[in-house]
Amino acid sequence: MNRVWHQGERYDGPRNSRWIVNDWQSHRGLSAPPSGYQWMRYGNQYLLTAVTTGVIAGVVSATLGGGMR
C-alpha cells in the first residue's frame, strides 16, 4: 500500500466493493466521477479510474483531502 499512483498509469489493484468509493460526497476533495469512471481508495490515495481500462484520470491524497493532481 506504499505505492504512489500517477495520472495516466493503469490501476491494477483490487476492484471489489471494499476498494470502490461510492460515497464520494463524504470524502473531502472528491467530486462526482464522470460517466464511465469511479473513485478507488488505495492506501492514502483516491484514484479516479476508468471502469473499463483502469487508466487513472486523477489522484487525490486521502490523508490531506488535497485537490486532484
Side-chain angles (χ1 to χ4, degrees):
M1 289 274 167
N2 293 330
R3 180 169 178 177
V4 176
W5 293 93
H6 298 94
Q7 185 176 349
E9 292 182 321
R10 186 177 312 271
Y11 175 73
D12 57 1
R15 290 182 159 264
N16 60 40
S17 61
R18 178 177 175 207
W19 306 95
I20 297 172
V21 178
N22 289 316
D23 61 339
W24 55 266
Q25 304 93 326
S26 65
H27 298 273
R28 186 175 172 205
L30 301 187
S31 57
S35 179
Y37 287 81
Q38 64 188 5
W39 285 107
M40 306 291 293
R41 173 92 188 242
Y42 186 92
N44 65 350
Q45 300 169 83
Y46 293 110
L47 311 174
L48 181 61
T49 61
V51 172
T52 56
T53 64
V55 173
I56 299 171
V59 180
V60 174
S61 170
T63 56
L64 302 176
M68 194 176 306
R69 300 182 265 175

